[in-house]
Amino acid sequence: MAETELNPACCSRNAVVTGEYTPKGTYTKIAGLDVYQTGDASSKRAILLVYDVFGLASQTLQGADRLASSVNALILIPDFFEGEPIGPDVFPVDSEEKKARAQKFMAEKADFAKGASTMLDVRKEAGEKFSSVESWGAFGLCWGGKVTALLSGEGTLFKAAGTAHPGVLNLSEEAEKMKIPYCCLFSKEDGTPEEVKAYTQALKSNGNDNVVENYLTMHHGWMGARANLQGKENEMEYERGYNQAATFFKKHL
């Protein structure tokens, strides 16, 4: 098996066990996957939210509920990993054994191309299931950000897409090929300064109505499973990030 590229920022920090949160949504079945569903099922707007490698974490479900309320949209989170996200004991990736386990997970369960293909299956079936939806968006966290970027090019089934703390930036594969508005919320740890600068420049010059924001005090994962919502600053920036995403999708969906 070829060695899978790992994001250094993603390898350095574990998920956060947060306080109690009662999700507002329910679960349904789409394209053979369990899917968290929240918001108005009769809305004309819908967003597929693509989680990070920790799966259906409490912070991600809470973010979905926030988006549903703010955008007045249907939000769906497919369980791509089918109840088997990466084990929290893999992080931090500080040994060869942990590195091998992380690479195996990324190559098999979390292969980006496989994720994108599955996402298209979900989008197509969801379009039939929720026939009132006229505009579909996609928003991804870390791993999910790569998936949404790959689905924003020629022939896309989405009107707008975005990411928070994107994983594995690639100009020629993603930013330069995007055909729809894209919202990119960077943490302070997403790639080298040169990579972030180049990606930002590509987004600002590709002709779409993109939004790029650098959350310079936030760690990689601050809007997903690594969000420490007991910490005042992280909670504030978590809220700001989801509010910014909501404003973007209200404009474009």
Side-chain angles (χ1 to χ4, degrees):
M1 180 177 66
E3 186 170 293
T4 301
E5 181 181 2
L6 298 176
N7 182 337
C10 198
C11 293
S12 64
R13 186 178 283 104
N14 212 333
V16 172
V17 178
T18 190
E20 289 186 9
Y21 176 74
T22 302
K24 296 179 172 61
T26 57
Y27 286 86
T28 187
K29 207 83 170 180
I30 302 176
L33 298 179
D34 290 325
V35 176
Y36 179 74
Q37 174 185 333
T38 185
D40 183 2
S42 62
S43 176
K44 293 182 179 181
R45 296 167 166 166
I47 299 169
L48 294 185
L49 179 57
V50 191
Y51 55 37
D52 55 32
V53 293
F54 296 102
L56 294 164
S58 173
Q59 302 96 312
T60 303
L61 300 183
Q62 187 172 342
D65 291 341
R66 283 179 171 274
L67 276 180
S69 176
S70 299
V71 185
N72 188 26
L74 169 68
I75 310 294
L76 302 172
I77 311 179
D79 187 10
F80 293 91
F81 307 143
E82 300 181 89
E84 297 181 346
I86 198 165
D89 59 317
V90 173
F91 297 91
V93 183
D94 54 7
S95 69
E96 288 302 312
E97 185 267 339
K98 288 184 177 181
K99 181 180 178 182
R101 287 174 62 194
Q103 288 179 330
K104 178 178 174 63
F105 180 83
M106 293 302 297
E108 296 177 359
K109 277 193 162 295
D111 175 75
F112 292 119
K114 178 183 176 183
S117 176
T118 302
M119 176 92 152
L120 287 178
D121 291 340
V122 172
R123 162 63 184 85
K124 290 173 183 176
E125 189 168 313
E128 298 174 1
K129 184 179 179 71
F130 302 100
S131 57
S132 64
V133 176
E134 297 176 358
S135 300
W136 286 87
F139 191 70
L141 307 172
C142 186
W143 177 81
K146 178 76 170 184
V147 173
T148 65
L150 291 174
L151 294 176
S152 297
E154 197 72 44
T156 182
L157 299 180
F158 300 95
K159 286 193 68 176
T163 182
H165 38 87
V168 193
L169 304 175
N170 187 305
L171 282 179
S172 61
E173 189 178 30
E174 303 161 13
E176 294 173 353
K177 293 184 177 180
M178 288 180 182
K179 300 297 183 183
I180 55 175
Y182 199 79
C183 175
C184 188
L185 309 181
F186 285 113
S187 77
K188 63 182 179 180
E189 300 173 325
D190 301 323
T192 66
E194 293 76 18
E195 287 173 331
V196 172
K197 182 179 179 180
Y199 204 86
T200 298
Q201 185 57 42
L203 288 177
K204 288 184 175 181
S205 61
N206 70 3
N208 301 317
D209 187 14
N210 300 318
V211 171
V212 182
E213 181 85 17
N214 291 284
Y215 283 68
L216 297 176
T217 65
M218 285 294 99
H219 58 275
H220 179 81
W222 93 94
M223 286 174 62
R226 291 181 168 102
N228 177 15
L229 300 182
Q230 308 307 308
K232 188 172 182 178
E233 185 177 23
N234 195 158
E235 181 185 28
M236 180 179 68
E237 293 295 76
Y238 174 94
E239 291 178 359
R240 182 164 76 96
Y242 278 103
N243 286 340
Q244 188 167 18
T247 298
F248 171 81
F249 284 113
K250 280 192 287 187
K251 178 179 180 180
H252 292 293
L253 295 184

